[in-house]
């Protein structure tokens, strides 16, 4: 584990003022670098940004120092920073007329335009085909695609308490600080807790309750309104790298994290996880995942991607830089991954999102568990769509067919209809309803379904609408009422139709 001492957060407000004064922010970076160079940074390509920061402004200096981690002349650093304090507190080091950063400081835009900063180990920005290239056990990563995905899918209603398990550099705790009265952040790696402290302090938000330990061990029997975790979910032979390898066999860490969440959630509380799971020979992955859902919780599990075992091994060998080592060592490590998968009869690895919600209906033995595969593009942030999903599940769970036909519905915002067929044909081969928001789903419907959705404005009950459609299409209204509720149920479940709920 790295033993490098970390900066002190006590005078971080002074440093924050200097960063803001120089426009060292997400917007400021985009203005300085331009879109191509800014996008290249997300791929860990720094040459375009180096070319764009050849000036001598404080912003040029700070980008080179903290973001690109290039030494800058002493006088330029002194013009951009409260340099004596930054040297004394350990944010930078000074030698031979040059100043070097000791940590990565990365501007990060909050959901409401906040200027935040993520502090992590040098050289550990996430992104790029080559991975972070570090094999140091205790390294702490900065912000990356996984962490922003988790932040985007999290339900952001005001809560009294939030728990970030495996906080890393503190990104999820930072988001939670905006809507939770009390934030607790845990990590097995004590260095990660110190980075979280720095991230929160430099971002100008309240400190979190930081606790060291594995999974839920640091919080005992305490319960929370929100739990989030981007855990070390990589399924690997051994646990070389704390930031990614769970140290349990197969996908046991993710399974344990999910299964034990039920006991730590308050009624109505949400838990959001990113996870990997094994696809085992002779076993349906959906069945495997359903066994993870704890008693008393509803669940929505979305598989975003599946890789075969060779793709998966190669991805994470590149992540740790093993592809740049001796070819014999690389081959031996590759073999070890495949041995592990073969022993566990693993044919592939899935990646996705797991959301739990504690509910009275689930506790009474009637949980809503939706497990699906959705590899297509979505619109982030998805938190509102996640919350709406569970509201719709509550509604559907309470409605039999008669109640459904008596209900009122509206067409969801930005749903469009597409007709598919041969040019010049009188009737389309089929009709597709497509969402332009949230999950961006598409579903085929028949003429009845298209007509029904098109007139749903909340004014008439579903049964009355079907009676009118039956008259127009010369169909038996009784038969139409009998066969249509299942189609309505599906349109509601997938978010094309929204029930008009009684005002409370």
């Amino acid at each position: 584990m790295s033993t490098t001492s970390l900066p002190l957060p006590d005078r971080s407000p002074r440093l924050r003022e200097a960063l803001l004064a120089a426009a060292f922010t997400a917007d400021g970076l985009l203005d300085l670098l331009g879109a191509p160079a800014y996008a290249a940074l997300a791929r860990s390509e720094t040459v375009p940004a180096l070319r764009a920061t050849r000036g001598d402004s404080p912003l040029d200096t700070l980008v080179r120092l903290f973001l690109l981690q290039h030494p800058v002349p002493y006088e330029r650093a002194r013009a951009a920073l409260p340099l004596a304090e930054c040297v004394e507190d350990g944010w930078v080091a000074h030698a031979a007329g040059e100043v070097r950063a000791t940590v990565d400081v990365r501007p990060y835009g909050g959901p409401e335009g906040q200027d935040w900063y993520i502090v992590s180990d040098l050289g550990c920005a996430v992104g790029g085909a080559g991975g972070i290239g570090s094999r140091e056990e205790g390294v702490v990563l900065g912000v990356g695609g996984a962490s922003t995905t988790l932040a985007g899918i999290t339900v952001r209603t005001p809560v009294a308490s939030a728990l970030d398990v495996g906080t890393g550099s503190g990104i999820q705790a930072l988001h939670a600080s905006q809507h939770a009265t009390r934030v607790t952040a845990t990590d097995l790696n004590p260095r990660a807790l110190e980075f979280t402290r720095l991230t929160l302090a430099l971002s100008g938000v309240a400190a979190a309750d930081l606790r060291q330990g594995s999974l839920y061990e640091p919080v005992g029997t305490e319960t929370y309104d929100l739990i989030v975790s981007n855990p070390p979910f990589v399924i690997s032979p051994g646990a070389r790298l704390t930031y990614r390898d769970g140290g349990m066999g197969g996908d046991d860490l993710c399974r344990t994290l999910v299964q034990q969440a039920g006991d730590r959630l308050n009624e109505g509380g949400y838990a959001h996880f990113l996870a990997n799971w094994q696809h085992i020979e002779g076993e349906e992955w959906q069945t495997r995942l359903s066994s993870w859902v704890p008693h008393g919780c509803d669940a929505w599990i979305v598989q975003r991607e599946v890789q075969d075992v060779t793709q998966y091994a190669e991805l994470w060998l590149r992540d740790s830089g093993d592809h740049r080592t001796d070819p014999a060592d690389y081959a031996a490590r590759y073999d070890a991954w495949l041995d592990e998968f073969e022993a566990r009869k693993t044919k592939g690895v899935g990646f996705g999102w797991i959301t739990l919600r504690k509910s009275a209906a689930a506790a009474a033995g009637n949980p809503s568990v939706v497990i699906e595969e959705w590899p297509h593009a979505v619109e982030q942030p998805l938190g509102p769509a996640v919350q709406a999903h569970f509201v719709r599940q509550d509604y559907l769970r309470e409605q039999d067919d008669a109640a459904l036909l008596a209900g009122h519905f509206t067409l969801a915002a930005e749903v469009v209809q597409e007709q598919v067929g041969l040019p010049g044909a009188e009737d389309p081969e089929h009709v597709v309803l497509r969402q332009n928001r949230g999950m961006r789903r598409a579903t085929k419907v028949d003429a009845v379904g298209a007509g029904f959705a098109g007139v749903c404005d909340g004014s008439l009950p579903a049964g009355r609408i079907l009676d009118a459609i039956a008259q127009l299409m010369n169909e038996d209204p009784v038969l139409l009422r009998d066969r249509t509720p299942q189609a309505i149920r599906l349109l509601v479940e997938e978010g094309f139709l929204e029930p008009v709920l009684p005002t409370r």
Side-chain angles (χ1 to χ4, degrees):
M1 178 178 292
S2 173
T3 57
T4 306
S5 60
L6 295 180
L8 301 173
D10 300 356
R11 289 186 285 192
S12 56
R14 283 284 307 277
L15 174 56
R16 175 175 170 80
E17 288 175 9
L19 300 181
L20 293 174
F24 186 61
T25 63
D27 289 341
L29 283 181
L30 183 58
D31 290 341
L32 174 68
L33 302 180
Y38 189 82
L41 284 177
R43 305 189 299 270
S44 294
E45 297 291 349
T46 59
V47 172
L50 284 168
R51 291 175 62 85
T53 54
R54 289 178 290 192
D56 58 1
S57 73
L59 181 55
D60 289 314
T61 300
L62 293 173
V63 172
R64 282 185 166 248
L65 181 66
F66 284 122
L67 203 62
L68 305 179
Q69 286 131 41
H70 275 242
V72 299
Y74 179 86
E75 291 302 325
R76 286 184 56 182
R78 190 170 67 170
L81 293 167
L83 188 55
E85 289 181 7
C86 288
V87 171
E88 184 178 348
D89 292 347
W91 292 95
V92 298
H94 169 224
E98 290 187 328
V99 175
R100 292 178 177 270
T102 61
V103 291
D104 183 301
V105 177
R106 196 154 295 250
Y108 180 66
E112 297 178 0
Q114 302 97 326
D115 291 314
W116 290 339
Y117 298 95
I118 308 300
V119 188
S120 62
D121 269 313
L122 290 173
C124 291
V126 182
I132 68 161
S134 175
R135 293 182 294 281
E136 193 171 349
E137 179 191 349
V139 71
V140 177
L141 272 59
V143 65
S147 48
T148 55
T149 293
L150 179 59
I153 66 173
T154 299
V155 174
R156 296 294 176 192
T157 52
V159 294
S161 57
L163 172 64
D164 177 13
V165 180
T167 188
S169 53
I171 300 149
Q172 307 309 323
L174 183 57
H175 279 275
S177 70
Q178 303 303 288
H179 64 106
T181 304
R182 175 173 58 89
V183 177
T184 301
T186 72
D187 206 291
L188 183 63
N189 182 2
R191 187 175 176 83
L193 297 177
E194 292 306 310
F195 272 116
T196 294
R197 193 187 312 278
L198 293 172
T199 289
L200 298 179
L202 194 57
S203 297
V205 306
D209 179 4
L210 304 177
R211 306 187 194 182
Q212 184 185 353
S214 178
L215 301 181
Y216 300 109
E217 179 271 329
V219 301
T221 59
E222 295 176 35
T223 59
Y224 298 86
D225 302 312
L226 173 68
I227 298 173
V228 291
S229 183
N230 177 17
F233 54 66
V234 177
I235 300 169
S236 62
R240 281 196 303 157
L241 303 174
T242 304
Y243 73 86
R244 71 170 204 192
D245 299 326
M248 297 185 184
D251 52 19
D252 283 355
L253 182 137
C254 291
R255 176 185 55 79
T256 301
L257 187 64
V258 173
Q259 285 182 335
Q260 293 183 359
D263 293 334
R264 272 85 182 178
L265 275 178
N266 293 326
E267 179 72 20
Y270 287 90
H272 302 274
F273 308 100
L274 300 186
N276 273 174
W277 44 79
Q278 298 170 113
H279 284 230
I280 304 294
E281 292 179 12
E283 183 179 358
E284 294 291 333
W285 69 269
Q286 295 93 333
T287 303
R288 180 179 185 80
L289 269 292
S290 67
S291 71
W292 292 13
V293 179
H295 175 73
C297 288
D298 302 315
W300 186 19
I301 301 174
V302 181
Q303 179 168 274
R304 296 288 288 159
E305 182 182 6
V306 183
Q307 291 182 313
D308 67 46
V309 293
T310 59
Q311 291 173 312
Y312 188 80
E314 291 162 14
L315 169 68
W316 295 109
L317 287 167
R318 286 195 304 271
D319 171 79
S320 55
D322 287 301
H323 62 310
R324 294 191 289 268
T325 63
D326 178 81
D329 290 342
Y330 175 77
R333 289 201 183 278
Y334 199 151
D335 246 348
W337 283 73
L338 297 185
D339 285 344
E340 175 81 3
F341 287 134
E342 185 177 338
R344 295 183 178 278
K345 298 183 178 180
T346 303
K347 60 182 181 179
V349 179
F351 167 79
W353 318 322
I354 298 176
T355 298
L356 306 177
R357 185 194 56 166
K358 194 77 169 282
S359 78
N366 187 22
S368 164
V369 178
V370 176
I371 302 176
E372 61 177 320
E373 188 163 14
W374 190 255
H376 310 293
V378 300
E379 181 194 48
Q380 286 278 31
L382 265 176
V386 172
Q387 185 177 15
H389 165 88
F390 286 98
V391 170
R392 293 193 303 269
Q393 292 300 316
D394 284 344
Y395 172 83
L396 292 172
R397 190 160 37 191
E398 296 169 356
Q399 310 298 312
D400 59 17
D401 286 356
L404 206 63
L405 292 175
H408 295 239
F409 303 92
T410 59
L411 188 65
E414 295 191 39
V415 171
V416 298
Q417 176 178 302
E418 299 174 358
Q419 296 188 170
V420 181
L422 294 174
E426 184 174 344
D427 296 312
E429 293 179 15
H430 58 262
V431 175
V432 174
L433 298 182
R434 187 178 302 277
Q435 301 168 350
N436 287 321
R437 298 178 63 182
M439 293 292 284
R440 293 180 174 169
R441 298 185 189 275
T443 188
K444 288 183 183 181
V445 292
D446 60 14
V448 172
F452 180 85
V455 298
C456 277
D457 60 4
S459 61
L460 293 174
R464 289 271 304 277
I465 295 173
L466 289 177
D467 291 344
I469 291 174
Q471 186 174 5
L472 286 172
M473 300 180 68
N474 294 317
E475 290 207 28
D476 186 329
V478 175
L479 293 178
L480 194 60
R481 279 175 172 255
D482 284 345
R483 76 168 193 257
T484 306
Q486 187 56 39
I488 297 174
R489 198 173 292 275
L490 181 62
L491 290 174
V492 172
E493 181 174 322
E494 294 191 342
F496 291 94
L497 294 178
E498 296 177 350
V500 178
L501 302 175
T503 304
R504 297 184 184 277

